[in-house]
Amino acid sequence: MKKNDTKQKVMDAACQLFYTKGYHGTSVRDIAGKASVNVSLINYYYKSKQGLLEASVVLYYEEYLAVLEKTAQKRGQDSSSTYLKQLIEAIIHYKLSRNQFTAFIQRELMLDSVFVREMAVTYLAKENHTLKQAFRDYLESNGIREREGVYLYMQLSGMLSAPFMMNKEMKGMMLTEESRRYFCSMYTSSIHHWIDTLTTVSSAALRAVSAN
């Protein structure tokens, strides 16, 4: 087995265990056992369990942001609606392809910790900027007010995070690669439908406010 293959095997084992047992409930020995390597090898590659966690998170987000950047570069003359939908599809696809580690990260982000603050400064801010700008452009192109857009963006963010906060519900939907692809397609379509209804719902809401 090549060196890089071994490092990836260790990282994959750690990601699975962090998801099932939690970071604090997982030991370096647990990871070594699952990866079928010596504990000293993990210490050689990553120095510590914390080092392994950081390396895993950095790789996850660097690949994730690269996906967002690639989607943005391919936009061309696409409308704000088409671009937003492409971005959402790319986000859902990436997160579902790494379902367990995504769920672990989402769980950790609910805690107030140094880990969360570092992620917020380095990676989450970049993700938020890309998605929020695309969503703002779409709302502006459809005449939806910025004040109203704040609440709508909160709904969008919630929908993108929800599958990874519902572990029990997701287990039955991620049994095979085919079921994962089906869920990705259906869930993405449901968010796209929500986007398409925003202009109608918002217009009706504005008329109701004006009438009162």
Side-chain angles (χ1 to χ4, degrees):
M1 180 177 292
K2 297 179 181 179
K3 177 180 178 180
N4 288 342
D5 291 340
T6 304
K7 289 187 69 174
Q8 187 60 52
K9 187 178 180 181
V10 169
M11 188 174 288
D12 290 343
C15 290
Q16 291 178 36
L17 289 171
F18 290 159
Y19 166 72
T20 57
K21 301 180 65 174
Y23 174 73
H24 295 293
T26 301
S27 68
V28 174
R29 189 171 298 280
D30 292 333
I31 298 169
K34 189 169 186 61
S36 299
V37 300
N38 194 282
V39 170
S40 61
L41 191 63
I42 296 178
N43 293 328
Y44 172 74
Y45 285 146
Y46 300 105
K47 307 302 182 184
S48 64
K49 185 176 71 168
Q50 179 66 27
L52 177 51
L53 172 65
E54 292 173 358
S56 300
V57 170
V58 167
L59 179 62
Y60 175 94
Y61 273 111
E62 286 186 347
E63 290 182 345
Y64 176 51
L65 294 176
V67 168
L68 299 188
E69 180 64 23
K70 183 177 180 180
T71 305
Q73 290 176 349
K74 291 168 58 179
R75 177 178 181 177
Q77 300 300 314
D78 290 337
S79 67
S80 59
S81 174
T82 299
Y83 171 55
L84 177 60
K85 290 178 179 180
Q86 290 173 344
L87 196 60
I88 288 170
E89 183 175 5
I91 290 172
I92 294 295
H93 183 272
Y94 179 84
K95 290 187 174 183
L96 282 175
S97 69
R98 296 153 181 78
N99 178 49
Q100 290 189 345
F101 199 56
T102 299
F104 164 72
I105 290 176
Q106 291 288 153
R107 193 165 65 218
E108 291 296 310
L109 290 178
M110 296 179 66
L111 305 176
D112 182 16
S113 64
V114 174
F115 170 80
V116 172
R117 289 191 289 272
E118 288 178 348
M119 290 305 99
V121 170
T122 55
Y123 296 110
L124 298 180
K126 296 178 182 179
E127 173 197 23
N128 188 57
H129 173 75
T130 300
L131 182 60
K132 182 176 286 187
Q133 186 60 55
F135 192 60
R136 184 183 293 118
D137 290 346
Y138 169 73
L139 296 181
E140 289 180 355
S141 68
N142 286 279
I144 300 176
R145 297 177 302 181
E146 183 176 353
R147 184 175 63 181
E148 188 178 9
V150 172
Y151 303 105
L152 294 173
Y153 184 73
M154 290 174 63
Q155 294 178 47
L156 175 60
S157 297
M159 285 188 286
L160 293 175
S161 300
F164 312 102
M165 305 299 293
M166 305 174 70
N167 295 335
K168 291 183 180 179
E169 291 79 359
M170 288 291 288
K171 282 182 179 179
M173 300 180 183
M174 299 286 114
L175 298 177
T176 65
E177 180 61 24
E178 182 179 356
S179 62
R180 187 192 67 79
R181 287 197 301 267
Y182 178 77
F183 179 86
C184 182
S185 175
M186 295 300 294
Y187 196 70
T188 299
S189 295
S190 69
I191 298 179
H192 287 179
H193 177 70
W194 176 80
I195 290 171
D196 289 335
T197 63
L198 285 182
T199 52
T200 302
V201 173
S202 297
S203 297
L206 288 174
R207 287 195 298 270
V209 171
S210 299
N212 293 331

